[in-house]
Amino acid sequence: LEDIDRIEVISGPGGVLWGANAVNGVINIITKSSGETQGFYGSTILGTHLRGFGAMRYGGKINEDISYRVFFQHSDRHNYTARTGEANTDQWGLSHSGFRLDWKLQETTNLSVQANAYEGRENSIPGPSTYDGQNALVHLTHDFADDSKLTVQGFFDRTWRRDLPSTISDQLLTGDLEFNHSFRAARLHRIIWGGGYRYIESITRNSSPVVGILPNRRVMPLYSIFVQDEITLAPDMFYLFLGTKLQHNVYTDFEWQPSARVSFTPGEQHNIWAAVSRAVRTPSRLDADYFAPTIILPPEEFSVRSGPDFQSETLIAYELGYRVQPFPVLSLSLAAFYNVYDDLFSVDPIPGTLTYITENRSMGETAGTELSGTWQPTHFWRLRGGYTYLWKELTTDAQSIYDTQALGHDAAHQFLVQSNLTIRKKFDIDLVARYRSSIESLDIPEFFTFNLRLAWDVNDMIEIAVVGRNLYEERHLEYSSYVPRSIFGQVTVRL
């Protein structure tokens, strides 16, 4: 967490810039450059649920233009409790290490290289499941003199999971190369365009004929190209954004994801925006290559297999929002959305048989509102909060018997408030409270809980903290497990 610069939460479809599967939103994590994380950092945690955690990082410079950081961390987490009241066998631990190097090649050209490796283990039945992976990223940016910018990025990732409960182990290799170029055209247009190629190789191992992924090896190349034009209709007041992304995948060939967005700023404190977008969720191997059992059974015997013609799920989204900052210390945002989904996942029998196949016979609509705000009454106290309401209705066509409740388990109401208070630059009191209404499809009741963090800066180098999570009650039910009340202590050293 110490290496994170900011976390962007983009609500609604993001298909133009992010591509397929950015249907309901995108979470984008931006890390700090190695030049911003110089020196030594170490932290250790001991507690009840988070039983142990340790992290070390060191950042330095080779010269004035090249900086770096290296890190290692390990965590050990206790198991949760099942709905039956018995302990789950989901205790797990993870070790993670990596480095980042930033190199200022020229005044207008920057290169960053980073790599990570991790290894973990989770208790399960009949034995432990293990996973490990490695990845590397090379990122190059160049600023041109004419207010344009070029970004080129290469990425490689390998992940391997030996998952005993599912009887399916899988290895995934991903190689990705992409670029984007932004520039101004005809004074009123700001254009971003780019493209990319991604190589994906999935290798599965079915340890039982009861269930599996076939074929065991599939190569899934992905090609994409996109363009977005930011059109200035009235300087500093009225903007129109038009864009689309075209992608080709091995299951459904070409998919296009257009978007149109307007932004109106009648004054410095007000902004009104609206958007219409199309996004898709392309088939995964579970949609297109799943078999239970892996052998072909006669039609009169029960079996499940992927449908040969499974299509991408589609979304048409309508959004409207208003942001206002009535005072320098207060900002508010209100957004409303209406989504229309088509060709959603379903499982139905072939007529006259007990052979069930995956199809696209479900459809649905959702609508809702999101309210968020930030208030800083003093320089040492900040409050943030938000409320979300969601309405959802899912159906199938007349020929389907599929139960659409299996498509998603969502709460209608969610609320969160966060308080950050610093006393005399020495003591921090951080409080996060949240509420979620019931989920009837899973028979999960509503809950309220809060987290509390008390921290003391002993000096410029040492911080001591005590953190309590889910403190309101001994435990509460979230989905299939109870989340317990937990407490841990933390010591952090910065040199």
Side-chain angles (χ1 to χ4, degrees):
L1 290 176
E2 284 284 322
D3 294 344
I4 294 177
D5 179 62
R6 65 188 186 277
I7 300 176
E8 299 175 344
V9 180
I10 300 99
S11 299
V16 174
L17 297 180
W18 301 97
N21 307 322
V23 176
N24 292 318
V26 173
I27 298 176
N28 187 31
I29 301 175
I30 297 96
T31 56
K32 298 175 183 176
S33 70
S34 57
E36 299 175 280
T37 54
Q38 296 291 287
F40 174 81
Y41 165 85
S43 180
T44 183
I45 292 174
L46 293 175
T48 54
H49 183 74
L50 180 56
R51 301 192 302 183
F53 174 85
M56 292 185 296
R57 182 197 68 210
Y58 179 77
K61 288 187 175 183
I62 298 175
N63 55 44
E64 287 301 314
D65 296 324
I66 304 176
S67 60
Y68 67 90
R69 68 166 173 257
V70 294
F71 74 90
F72 172 80
Q73 63 182 25
H74 176 79
S75 62
D76 180 21
R77 299 176 186 271
H78 198 39
N79 54 262
Y80 289 96
T81 303
R83 297 189 69 164
T84 60
E86 300 177 352
N88 276 340
T89 54
D90 56 1
Q91 173 186 333
W92 64 278
L94 178 69
S95 298
H96 180 201
S97 61
F99 78 90
R100 172 167 173 162
L101 182 143
D102 292 275
W103 187 358
K104 189 174 183 179
L105 300 174
Q106 299 175 353
E107 192 65 30
T108 57
T109 306
N110 293 281
L111 173 70
S112 68
V113 179
Q114 61 187 49
N116 296 271
Y118 59 89
E119 182 178 16
R121 178 187 180 99
E122 178 182 349
N123 285 350
S124 55
I125 297 176
S129 297
T130 60
Y131 46 92
D132 61 80
Q134 306 82 34
N135 58 70
L137 173 71
V138 179
H139 185 84
L140 177 71
T141 62
H142 178 73
D143 295 318
F144 296 95
D146 59 352
D147 193 25
S148 64
K149 183 175 182 178
L150 175 68
T151 301
V152 180
Q153 177 174 288
F155 177 73
F156 173 79
D157 178 85
R158 172 198 170 274
T159 181
W160 175 246
R161 182 179 180 92
R162 293 158 287 272
D163 194 351
L164 293 181
S166 72
T167 72
I168 301 174
S169 299
D170 61 280
Q171 179 177 238
L172 190 66
L173 301 175
T174 304
D176 182 90
L177 181 63
E178 62 182 50
F179 76 94
N180 68 71
H181 179 213
S182 63
F183 63 95
R184 288 203 172 273
R187 194 170 61 85
L188 299 180
H189 298 263
R190 180 78 179 180
I191 296 175
I192 305 175
W193 74 284
Y197 168 75
R198 178 172 296 177
Y199 174 88
I200 305 171
E201 181 180 356
S202 173
I203 303 171
T204 60
R205 182 180 301 164
N206 307 319
S207 58
S208 168
V210 175
V211 62
I213 301 291
L214 296 174
N216 293 120
R217 177 181 179 271
R218 184 183 285 278
V219 175
M220 299 171 286
L222 183 69
Y223 306 86
S224 65
I225 187 169
F226 79 94
V227 61
Q228 177 175 282
D229 187 6
E230 176 187 332
I231 307 170
T232 303
L233 302 178
D236 299 323
M237 182 178 292
F238 199 13
Y239 296 89
L240 172 64
F241 301 83
L242 299 174
T244 189
K245 188 159 196 168
L246 182 66
Q247 286 185 305
H248 181 273
N249 68 86
V250 296
Y251 292 118
T252 62
D253 293 329
F254 289 98
E255 298 287 355
W256 62 290
Q257 299 180 87
S259 175
R261 180 180 296 264
V262 294
S263 175
F264 177 55
T265 307
E268 292 184 0
Q269 290 79 32
H270 304 270
N271 178 253
I272 303 169
W273 58 271
V276 180
S277 308
R278 181 183 188 269
V280 301
R281 185 189 77 85
T282 54
S284 68
R285 296 208 69 188
L286 284 176
D287 300 315
D289 298 328
Y290 179 84
F291 293 85
T294 56
I295 59 176
I296 302 299
L297 296 180
E300 62 271 13
E301 296 187 37
F302 176 82
S303 64
V304 179
R305 62 179 176 85
S306 296
D309 301 316
F310 192 87
Q311 300 298 308
S312 295
E313 299 178 337
T314 64
L315 162 69
I316 303 296
Y318 306 88
E319 302 170 87
L320 179 64
Y322 172 58
R323 286 185 286 268
V324 61
Q325 188 174 6
F327 309 104
V329 297
L330 177 65
S331 62
L332 298 169
S333 176
L334 177 64
F337 60 90
Y338 172 65
N339 295 336
V340 180
Y341 299 88
D342 203 2
D343 295 326
L344 296 183
F345 179 91
S346 66
V347 182
D348 283 289
I350 298 175
T353 75
L354 290 178
T355 302
Y356 286 72
I357 63 173
T358 57
E359 297 182 291
N360 302 88
R361 292 188 171 184
S362 301
M363 61 208 74
E365 300 177 4
T366 63
T369 57
E370 297 176 347
L371 173 64
S372 62
T374 301
W375 178 39
Q376 187 152 354
T378 69
H379 69 279
F380 55 84
W381 187 25
R382 185 179 67 172
L383 292 167
R384 296 174 64 248
Y387 165 76
T388 300
Y389 168 73
L390 175 66
W391 168 85
K392 179 180 69 176
E393 183 175 353
L394 301 176
T395 59
T396 61
D397 63 29
Q399 289 75 39
S400 176
I401 62 172
Y402 183 65
D403 184 1
T404 57
Q405 282 195 350
L407 287 179
H409 307 288
D410 304 293
H413 306 275
Q414 296 189 70
F415 174 81
L416 181 142
V417 63
Q418 179 183 42
S419 171
N420 302 106
L421 177 64
T422 300
I423 301 175
R424 294 184 178 180
K425 299 182 180 181
K426 283 287 185 181
F427 299 94
D428 291 332
I429 303 175
D430 301 324
L431 174 70
V432 178
R434 61 191 179 102
Y435 165 83
R436 191 187 73 188
S437 62
S438 62
I439 301 178
E440 297 180 0
S441 59
L442 293 178
D443 192 27
I444 296 176
E446 65 180 357
F447 72 83
F448 167 82
T449 191
F450 65 92
N451 302 341
L452 180 63
R453 175 180 179 269
L454 306 175
W456 174 37
D457 283 333
V458 180
N459 51 44
D460 293 337
M461 297 183 296
I462 300 175
E463 179 188 78
I464 299 175
V466 177
V467 180
R469 291 178 176 172
N470 302 296
L471 295 176
Y472 184 70
E473 51 190 342
E474 183 179 355
R475 65 182 188 180
H476 66 273
L477 186 63
E478 289 196 35
Y479 298 100
S480 60
S481 300
Y482 283 98
V483 176
R485 177 190 294 147
S486 64
I487 298 175
F488 63 81
Q490 181 176 11
V491 177
T492 301
V493 178
R494 299 179 178 89
L495 300 176

